[in-house]
Amino acid sequence: MFRSRSARAHGSGIGLAVAAELTAADGGPLTADSEVGRCTTFTTRLPVRAR
């Protein structure tokens, strides 16, 4: 795990790993889009299930 010295969040740092596992378990992708020096956006897409 890597967290920069200027990171604002405090915590264990496992949130993204948990989100990736839950997303994969439901059959969806977790993607990242990053701009150097700006931001990173993570997107989770889950399939729609019939009731």
Short mmCIF file of all heavy atoms in Angstrom, two decimals:
data_model
loop_
_atom_site.label_atom_id
_atom_site.label_comp_id
_atom_site.label_asym_id
_atom_site.label_seq_id
_atom_site.Cartn_x
_atom_site.Cartn_y
_atom_site.Cartn_z
N MET A 1 0.84 -1.17 0.00
CA MET A 1 0.00 0.00 0.00
C MET A 1 0.88 1.23 0.00
O MET A 1 1.90 1.27 0.67
CB MET A 1 -0.90 0.00 1.24
CG MET A 1 -1.71 1.25 1.38
SD MET A 1 -2.76 1.28 2.84
CE MET A 1 -1.59 1.56 4.12
N PHE A 2 0.49 2.25 -0.75
CA PHE A 2 1.21 3.51 -0.78
C PHE A 2 0.25 4.64 -0.50
O PHE A 2 -0.85 4.68 -1.04
CB PHE A 2 1.88 3.73 -2.13
CG PHE A 2 2.48 5.11 -2.25
CD1 PHE A 2 3.69 5.38 -1.67
CD2 PHE A 2 1.80 6.12 -2.90
CE1 PHE A 2 4.24 6.66 -1.75
CE2 PHE A 2 2.35 7.40 -2.99
CZ PHE A 2 3.56 7.66 -2.41
N ARG A 3 0.64 5.53 0.36
CA ARG A 3 -0.13 6.74 0.61
C ARG A 3 0.86 7.89 0.69
O ARG A 3 1.83 7.82 1.43
CB ARG A 3 -0.91 6.62 1.91
CG ARG A 3 -1.73 7.88 2.20
CD ARG A 3 -2.62 7.71 3.39
NE ARG A 3 -3.69 6.80 3.01
CZ ARG A 3 -4.45 6.19 3.89
NH1 ARG A 3 -4.26 6.34 5.16
NH2 ARG A 3 -5.40 5.38 3.48
N SER A 4 0.62 8.92 -0.08
CA SER A 4 1.54 10.06 -0.09
C SER A 4 1.51 10.78 1.24
O SER A 4 0.56 10.68 2.01
CB SER A 4 1.19 11.02 -1.22
OG SER A 4 0.01 11.73 -0.91
N ARG A 5 2.54 11.53 1.50
CA ARG A 5 2.61 12.29 2.76
C ARG A 5 1.53 13.35 2.85
O ARG A 5 1.14 13.75 3.94
CB ARG A 5 3.99 12.94 2.88
CG ARG A 5 5.07 11.95 3.12
CD ARG A 5 6.41 12.63 3.33
NE ARG A 5 7.41 11.59 3.54
CZ ARG A 5 8.65 11.69 3.16
NH1 ARG A 5 9.09 12.78 2.57
NH2 ARG A 5 9.49 10.70 3.38
N SER A 6 1.04 13.80 1.71
CA SER A 6 0.01 14.84 1.72
C SER A 6 -1.41 14.29 1.70
O SER A 6 -2.37 15.04 1.58
CB SER A 6 0.21 15.77 0.52
OG SER A 6 0.06 15.06 -0.69
N ALA A 7 -1.56 12.98 1.82
CA ALA A 7 -2.90 12.37 1.81
C ALA A 7 -3.73 12.92 2.96
O ALA A 7 -3.25 13.05 4.08
CB ALA A 7 -2.79 10.86 1.91
N ARG A 8 -4.99 13.23 2.66
CA ARG A 8 -5.87 13.82 3.67
C ARG A 8 -6.60 12.79 4.51
O ARG A 8 -7.06 13.08 5.59
CB ARG A 8 -6.88 14.73 3.00
CG ARG A 8 -6.23 15.96 2.40
CD ARG A 8 -7.23 16.74 1.61
NE ARG A 8 -7.34 16.07 0.32
CZ ARG A 8 -8.24 16.33 -0.59
NH1 ARG A 8 -9.14 17.23 -0.37
NH2 ARG A 8 -8.27 15.68 -1.73
N ALA A 9 -6.75 11.59 3.99
CA ALA A 9 -7.53 10.56 4.68
C ALA A 9 -6.70 9.87 5.76
O ALA A 9 -5.50 9.70 5.62
CB ALA A 9 -8.03 9.53 3.69
N HIS A 10 -7.38 9.48 6.81
CA HIS A 10 -6.75 8.71 7.87
C HIS A 10 -7.52 7.41 7.99
O HIS A 10 -8.74 7.40 8.01
CB HIS A 10 -6.79 9.46 9.20
CG HIS A 10 -6.08 10.77 9.16
ND1 HIS A 10 -4.72 10.87 9.17
CD2 HIS A 10 -6.56 12.03 9.07
CE1 HIS A 10 -4.38 12.15 9.11
NE2 HIS A 10 -5.49 12.86 9.04
N GLY A 11 -6.82 6.31 8.02
CA GLY A 11 -7.51 5.03 8.13
C GLY A 11 -6.57 3.90 7.80
O GLY A 11 -5.36 4.07 7.72
N SER A 12 -7.14 2.74 7.60
CA SER A 12 -6.34 1.54 7.38
C SER A 12 -5.86 1.40 5.94
O SER A 12 -4.91 0.68 5.67
CB SER A 12 -7.14 0.30 7.76
OG SER A 12 -8.29 0.22 6.94
N GLY A 13 -6.54 2.06 4.98
CA GLY A 13 -6.14 1.99 3.59
C GLY A 13 -6.59 0.74 2.86
O GLY A 13 -6.09 0.44 1.79
N ILE A 14 -7.56 0.00 3.40
CA ILE A 14 -8.02 -1.22 2.73
C ILE A 14 -9.34 -1.03 1.99
O ILE A 14 -9.84 -1.95 1.37
CB ILE A 14 -8.15 -2.40 3.71
CG1 ILE A 14 -9.24 -2.14 4.75
CG2 ILE A 14 -6.81 -2.70 4.37
CD1 ILE A 14 -9.61 -3.37 5.54
N GLY A 15 -9.88 0.17 1.99
CA GLY A 15 -11.18 0.43 1.38
C GLY A 15 -11.25 0.06 -0.09
O GLY A 15 -12.23 -0.52 -0.56
N LEU A 16 -10.22 0.41 -0.86
CA LEU A 16 -10.23 0.11 -2.28
C LEU A 16 -10.15 -1.39 -2.53
O LEU A 16 -10.83 -1.92 -3.42
CB LEU A 16 -9.08 0.83 -2.98
CG LEU A 16 -9.05 0.71 -4.50
CD1 LEU A 16 -10.36 1.18 -5.11
CD2 LEU A 16 -7.88 1.50 -5.05
N ALA A 17 -9.38 -2.10 -1.75
CA ALA A 17 -9.30 -3.56 -1.88
C ALA A 17 -10.64 -4.21 -1.57
O ALA A 17 -11.07 -5.13 -2.27
CB ALA A 17 -8.21 -4.12 -0.96
N VAL A 18 -11.33 -3.71 -0.56
CA VAL A 18 -12.65 -4.24 -0.21
C VAL A 18 -13.64 -3.94 -1.33
O VAL A 18 -14.41 -4.82 -1.74
CB VAL A 18 -13.15 -3.65 1.13
CG1 VAL A 18 -14.61 -4.01 1.39
CG2 VAL A 18 -12.27 -4.11 2.27
N ALA A 19 -13.63 -2.72 -1.85
CA ALA A 19 -14.52 -2.36 -2.96
C ALA A 19 -14.26 -3.23 -4.19
O ALA A 19 -15.20 -3.68 -4.84
CB ALA A 19 -14.34 -0.89 -3.32
N ALA A 20 -13.01 -3.50 -4.49
CA ALA A 20 -12.67 -4.33 -5.64
C ALA A 20 -13.18 -5.76 -5.45
O ALA A 20 -13.72 -6.36 -6.38
CB ALA A 20 -11.16 -4.34 -5.86
N GLU A 21 -13.03 -6.32 -4.27
CA GLU A 21 -13.50 -7.69 -3.99
C GLU A 21 -15.02 -7.77 -4.08
O GLU A 21 -15.57 -8.70 -4.66
CB GLU A 21 -13.03 -8.15 -2.62
CG GLU A 21 -11.55 -8.46 -2.55
CD GLU A 21 -11.18 -9.67 -3.39
OE1 GLU A 21 -11.94 -10.66 -3.42
OE2 GLU A 21 -10.11 -9.63 -4.02
N LEU A 22 -15.72 -6.81 -3.50
CA LEU A 22 -17.19 -6.82 -3.53
C LEU A 22 -17.72 -6.64 -4.95
O LEU A 22 -18.67 -7.31 -5.36
CB LEU A 22 -17.75 -5.73 -2.62
CG LEU A 22 -17.55 -5.95 -1.13
CD1 LEU A 22 -18.01 -4.72 -0.34
CD2 LEU A 22 -18.27 -7.19 -0.65
N THR A 23 -17.08 -5.76 -5.70
CA THR A 23 -17.48 -5.54 -7.09
C THR A 23 -17.26 -6.80 -7.93
O THR A 23 -18.13 -7.21 -8.70
CB THR A 23 -16.70 -4.36 -7.69
OG1 THR A 23 -16.95 -3.19 -6.90
CG2 THR A 23 -17.13 -4.08 -9.12
N ALA A 24 -16.11 -7.42 -7.78
CA ALA A 24 -15.80 -8.66 -8.52
C ALA A 24 -16.76 -9.78 -8.14
O ALA A 24 -17.21 -10.54 -9.01
CB ALA A 24 -14.36 -9.08 -8.26
N ALA A 25 -17.12 -9.87 -6.86
CA ALA A 25 -18.05 -10.91 -6.41
C ALA A 25 -19.43 -10.75 -7.04
O ALA A 25 -20.13 -11.73 -7.26
CB ALA A 25 -18.16 -10.89 -4.88
N ASP A 26 -19.80 -9.52 -7.36
CA ASP A 26 -21.09 -9.26 -8.00
C ASP A 26 -21.00 -9.27 -9.52
O ASP A 26 -21.99 -9.02 -10.20
CB ASP A 26 -21.66 -7.92 -7.53
CG ASP A 26 -22.53 -8.05 -6.30
OD1 ASP A 26 -22.92 -9.18 -5.96
OD2 ASP A 26 -22.85 -7.02 -5.68
N GLY A 27 -19.82 -9.54 -10.05
CA GLY A 27 -19.66 -9.66 -11.49
C GLY A 27 -19.44 -8.36 -12.24
O GLY A 27 -19.64 -8.30 -13.45
N GLY A 28 -19.04 -7.32 -11.54
CA GLY A 28 -18.82 -6.03 -12.21
C GLY A 28 -17.37 -5.61 -12.15
O GLY A 28 -16.58 -6.14 -11.38
N PRO A 29 -17.00 -4.63 -12.97
CA PRO A 29 -15.64 -4.13 -12.96
C PRO A 29 -15.47 -2.93 -12.03
O PRO A 29 -16.42 -2.20 -11.76
CB PRO A 29 -15.41 -3.70 -14.40
CG PRO A 29 -16.76 -3.22 -14.84
CD PRO A 29 -17.74 -4.15 -14.14
N LEU A 30 -14.28 -2.73 -11.56
CA LEU A 30 -13.87 -1.53 -10.84
C LEU A 30 -12.74 -0.94 -11.66
O LEU A 30 -11.72 -1.60 -11.87
CB LEU A 30 -13.39 -1.85 -9.42
CG LEU A 30 -12.90 -0.65 -8.63
CD1 LEU A 30 -14.07 0.09 -8.02
CD2 LEU A 30 -11.94 -1.08 -7.55
N THR A 31 -12.91 0.27 -12.17
CA THR A 31 -11.91 0.88 -13.02
C THR A 31 -11.38 2.15 -12.39
O THR A 31 -12.01 2.74 -11.51
CB THR A 31 -12.48 1.21 -14.41
OG1 THR A 31 -13.58 2.11 -14.26
CG2 THR A 31 -12.95 -0.05 -15.12
N ALA A 32 -10.20 2.57 -12.85
CA ALA A 32 -9.58 3.80 -12.36
C ALA A 32 -9.19 4.67 -13.54
O ALA A 32 -8.70 4.18 -14.55
CB ALA A 32 -8.37 3.47 -11.52
N ASP A 33 -9.40 5.96 -13.39
CA ASP A 33 -8.97 6.94 -14.37
C ASP A 33 -8.19 8.00 -13.62
O ASP A 33 -8.70 8.59 -12.67
CB ASP A 33 -10.18 7.56 -15.07
CG ASP A 33 -9.79 8.54 -16.15
OD1 ASP A 33 -8.75 8.32 -16.80
OD2 ASP A 33 -10.51 9.54 -16.34
N SER A 34 -6.93 8.21 -14.01
CA SER A 34 -6.06 9.09 -13.25
C SER A 34 -5.44 10.17 -14.12
O SER A 34 -5.07 9.93 -15.27
CB SER A 34 -4.95 8.26 -12.60
OG SER A 34 -4.14 9.08 -11.79
N GLU A 35 -5.34 11.36 -13.56
CA GLU A 35 -4.63 12.47 -14.19
C GLU A 35 -3.46 12.81 -13.28
O GLU A 35 -3.65 13.18 -12.13
CB GLU A 35 -5.54 13.68 -14.33
CG GLU A 35 -6.70 13.47 -15.28
CD GLU A 35 -7.57 14.70 -15.41
OE1 GLU A 35 -7.00 15.81 -15.46
OE2 GLU A 35 -8.79 14.54 -15.44
N VAL A 36 -2.25 12.70 -13.82
CA VAL A 36 -1.04 12.95 -13.04
C VAL A 36 -1.10 14.35 -12.42
O VAL A 36 -1.38 15.33 -13.09
CB VAL A 36 0.22 12.81 -13.92
CG1 VAL A 36 1.46 13.13 -13.11
CG2 VAL A 36 0.31 11.40 -14.48
N GLY A 37 -0.88 14.39 -11.11
CA GLY A 37 -0.87 15.65 -10.39
C GLY A 37 -2.22 16.25 -10.11
O GLY A 37 -2.32 17.33 -9.55
N ARG A 38 -3.29 15.55 -10.49
CA ARG A 38 -4.62 16.11 -10.28
C ARG A 38 -5.49 15.21 -9.42
O ARG A 38 -5.67 15.47 -8.25
CB ARG A 38 -5.30 16.35 -11.63
CG ARG A 38 -4.61 17.44 -12.41
CD ARG A 38 -5.52 18.21 -13.27
NE ARG A 38 -6.69 18.66 -12.52
CZ ARG A 38 -7.80 19.07 -13.07
NH1 ARG A 38 -7.92 19.07 -14.37
NH2 ARG A 38 -8.81 19.47 -12.36
N CYS A 39 -6.02 14.16 -10.00
CA CYS A 39 -6.96 13.33 -9.25
C CYS A 39 -7.04 11.93 -9.85
O CYS A 39 -6.57 11.69 -10.95
CB CYS A 39 -8.35 13.95 -9.23
SG CYS A 39 -9.08 14.06 -10.87
N THR A 40 -7.66 11.04 -9.10
CA THR A 40 -7.96 9.70 -9.58
C THR A 40 -9.42 9.43 -9.28
O THR A 40 -9.90 9.70 -8.18
CB THR A 40 -7.09 8.65 -8.89
OG1 THR A 40 -5.71 8.96 -9.14
CG2 THR A 40 -7.39 7.25 -9.39
N THR A 41 -10.14 8.92 -10.28
CA THR A 41 -11.55 8.59 -10.13
C THR A 41 -11.71 7.09 -10.28
O THR A 41 -11.25 6.50 -11.25
CB THR A 41 -12.40 9.30 -11.20
OG1 THR A 41 -12.20 10.70 -11.08
CG2 THR A 41 -13.88 8.97 -11.04
N PHE A 42 -12.36 6.47 -9.30
CA PHE A 42 -12.64 5.03 -9.34
C PHE A 42 -14.13 4.87 -9.64
O PHE A 42 -14.96 5.54 -9.05
CB PHE A 42 -12.29 4.37 -8.00
CG PHE A 42 -10.83 4.43 -7.69
CD1 PHE A 42 -10.30 5.45 -6.93
CD2 PHE A 42 -9.97 3.44 -8.18
CE1 PHE A 42 -8.94 5.51 -6.66
CE2 PHE A 42 -8.62 3.50 -7.92
CZ PHE A 42 -8.10 4.53 -7.16
N THR A 43 -14.44 3.96 -10.57
CA THR A 43 -15.82 3.72 -10.97
C THR A 43 -16.18 2.25 -10.78
O THR A 43 -15.43 1.38 -11.23
CB THR A 43 -16.04 4.11 -12.44
OG1 THR A 43 -15.65 5.48 -12.60
CG2 THR A 43 -17.48 3.92 -12.86
N THR A 44 -17.29 2.00 -10.11
CA THR A 44 -17.79 0.64 -9.92
C THR A 44 -19.07 0.50 -10.73
O THR A 44 -19.96 1.36 -10.67
CB THR A 44 -18.13 0.40 -8.44
OG1 THR A 44 -16.95 0.56 -7.67
CG2 THR A 44 -18.68 -0.98 -8.21
N ARG A 45 -19.16 -0.56 -11.51
CA ARG A 45 -20.37 -0.84 -12.28
C ARG A 45 -20.86 -2.24 -11.89
O ARG A 45 -20.10 -3.19 -11.96
CB ARG A 45 -20.09 -0.77 -13.77
CG ARG A 45 -19.69 0.60 -14.23
CD ARG A 45 -19.58 0.67 -15.74
NE ARG A 45 -19.09 1.94 -16.16
CZ ARG A 45 -19.84 3.02 -16.38
NH1 ARG A 45 -21.14 2.94 -16.20
NH2 ARG A 45 -19.31 4.15 -16.76
N LEU A 46 -22.10 -2.30 -11.48
CA LEU A 46 -22.68 -3.57 -11.07
C LEU A 46 -23.79 -3.96 -12.05
O LEU A 46 -24.56 -3.11 -12.49
CB LEU A 46 -23.25 -3.47 -9.65
CG LEU A 46 -22.22 -3.11 -8.58
CD1 LEU A 46 -22.92 -2.91 -7.24
CD2 LEU A 46 -21.15 -4.17 -8.48
N PRO A 47 -23.88 -5.25 -12.36
CA PRO A 47 -24.95 -5.69 -13.28
C PRO A 47 -26.32 -5.59 -12.62
O PRO A 47 -26.46 -5.74 -11.40
CB PRO A 47 -24.58 -7.14 -13.56
CG PRO A 47 -23.72 -7.57 -12.43
CD PRO A 47 -23.03 -6.34 -11.93
N VAL A 48 -27.33 -5.32 -13.44
CA VAL A 48 -28.71 -5.28 -12.97
C VAL A 48 -29.23 -6.72 -12.97
O VAL A 48 -29.08 -7.44 -13.96
CB VAL A 48 -29.59 -4.39 -13.88
CG1 VAL A 48 -31.03 -4.43 -13.44
CG2 VAL A 48 -29.05 -2.98 -13.88
N ARG A 49 -29.83 -7.10 -11.89
CA ARG A 49 -30.36 -8.46 -11.77
C ARG A 49 -31.88 -8.42 -11.80
O ARG A 49 -32.51 -7.55 -11.18
CB ARG A 49 -29.90 -9.11 -10.47
CG ARG A 49 -28.41 -9.34 -10.44
CD ARG A 49 -28.02 -10.09 -9.23
NE ARG A 49 -26.59 -10.29 -9.23
CZ ARG A 49 -25.89 -10.62 -8.18
NH1 ARG A 49 -26.49 -10.79 -7.02
NH2 ARG A 49 -24.60 -10.78 -8.25
N ALA A 50 -32.49 -9.37 -12.51
CA ALA A 50 -33.94 -9.48 -12.52
C ALA A 50 -34.43 -9.93 -11.16
O ALA A 50 -33.78 -10.72 -10.48
CB ALA A 50 -34.38 -10.48 -13.59
N ARG A 51 -35.58 -9.45 -10.77
CA ARG A 51 -36.12 -9.81 -9.44
C ARG A 51 -36.94 -11.06 -9.52
O ARG A 51 -37.54 -11.44 -10.38
CB ARG A 51 -36.97 -8.69 -8.90
CG ARG A 51 -36.14 -7.50 -8.58
CD ARG A 51 -37.02 -6.41 -8.03
NE ARG A 51 -36.18 -5.24 -7.78
CZ ARG A 51 -36.45 -4.34 -6.89
NH1 ARG A 51 -37.53 -4.43 -6.17
NH2 ARG A 51 -35.67 -3.32 -6.72
#
